[in-house]
Amino acid sequence: MVVQVQEGLGRLTGTAPRTRPPGPRVLIATAVPAERDAVASGLSAPSGAAAPSGHAGPSSDSGPSGLPGGDRAPVVDLLVAGVGPAAAAAATGRALALAAAADAPYDLVVSAGIGGGFQPGAPVGSLVVADAVTAADLGAETPDGFLPVTDLGFGRVTHLPPPALVSALAAATGAAVGPVLTVSTVTGSAARADALRARHPGVLAEAMEGFGVAEAAALYGLPVLEVRAVSNPVGPRDRDAWRIGAALAALTGAFGKFTPVIGKLAPVLESWNRHD
């Protein structure tokens, strides 16, 4: 497996491969460097120790692609896209455009990082894989409550990741599966947490970038995944209850199992309808 690690906001290091790799090309976008580093540590685990720069290489007993048995290991680029849906969409869109211009397009885009968990479904330290990536506060407030932008006759508020990838990754990592909300303002009260639960039955987590990443991916006809490690409960803001270190460790563990899952499910990506 080849991993390229980003060194500056919105920019990837390294160069695109000159020939199409045998496995899928994957872009993983995080908000901040600490999340990127946690993902990079996990990606290095199944294929040998990472080099000091953060690049990962195949172990001596791997097949030709870097996975035991020769499965089609992905080529992964890591991107620090910034905080919030606008920054995430802009940086991800730029990375996808550059890859397309270099005739090395991606096959899958992943939004990854830590986030808040709705209790009791997503306790602190647990993992969530989104089966729906939803913009929770894109719309209008009315005297009768919140209306999503779709009810106003515009756009969309949800992207659906490929179910086969969601199920396989959740099974491999032990993650819960459910909707993950994208918010521009993090929830800080019980009242807002309750309102979000009421509007989004089964919701498990909230974060700030998933929908932006998904919008950029959709412009290029690409499937998206969102993976969140829970650092705090959604509700009243209590920094003493945050467990960022535990969440980052969980994120590392999740991406330690990412490579075999994506490599084995490469046909799912190949059959994805880019016009869906």
Side-chain angles (χ1 to χ4, degrees):
M1 179 180 65
V2 178
V3 178
Q4 295 187 108
V5 180
Q6 179 251 19
E7 297 295 343
L9 188 63
R11 190 182 65 191
L12 295 164
T13 61
T15 58
R18 292 182 180 275
T19 58
R20 182 74 185 175
R25 294 199 70 219
V26 180
L27 177 66
I28 301 177
T30 69
V32 297
E35 294 169 325
R36 175 204 60 195
D37 294 345
V39 171
S41 294
L43 288 172
S44 70
S47 54
S53 66
H55 295 267
S59 61
S60 59
D61 60 350
S62 297
S65 65
L67 279 174
D71 285 343
R72 299 173 61 190
V75 174
V76 179
D77 290 341
L78 302 179
L79 172 72
V80 174
V83 174
T92 303
R94 177 179 183 272
L96 296 177
L98 290 173
D103 198 24
Y106 291 102
D107 301 293
L108 173 67
V109 184
V110 182
S111 177
I114 64 177
F118 287 85
Q119 306 305 301
V124 172
S126 68
L127 292 165
V128 175
V129 176
D131 62 2
V133 180
T134 296
D137 51 12
L138 181 60
E141 291 288 348
T142 77
D144 297 321
F146 178 82
L147 287 179
V149 71
T150 47
D151 285 7
L152 303 175
F154 303 105
R156 60 189 158 197
V157 293
T158 295
H159 292 273
L160 301 177
L165 292 185
V166 170
S167 297
L169 188 57
T173 60
V177 174
V180 175
L181 305 182
T182 299
V183 295
S184 295
T185 301
V186 172
T187 299
S189 70
R192 187 179 191 230
D194 290 343
L196 291 174
R197 284 192 190 93
R199 292 207 304 264
H200 305 282
V203 63
L204 288 181
E206 73 168 24
M208 301 183 74
E209 293 79 33
F211 187 78
V213 172
E215 281 284 277
L219 287 175
Y220 286 85
L222 298 176
V224 69
L225 288 174
E226 183 169 9
V227 181
R228 293 290 165 182
V230 178
S231 59
N232 57 278
V234 174
R237 189 173 176 83
D238 178 10
R239 296 196 65 166
D240 290 338
W242 294 1
R243 298 292 182 267
I244 292 176
L248 290 172
L251 196 64
T252 294
F255 279 90
K257 299 177 178 136
F258 177 85
T259 303
V261 169
I262 301 304
K264 289 175 182 177
L265 289 177
V268 174
L269 300 178
E270 292 171 353
S271 64
W272 180 262
N273 184 347
R274 289 174 180 257
H275 300 290
D276 279 350

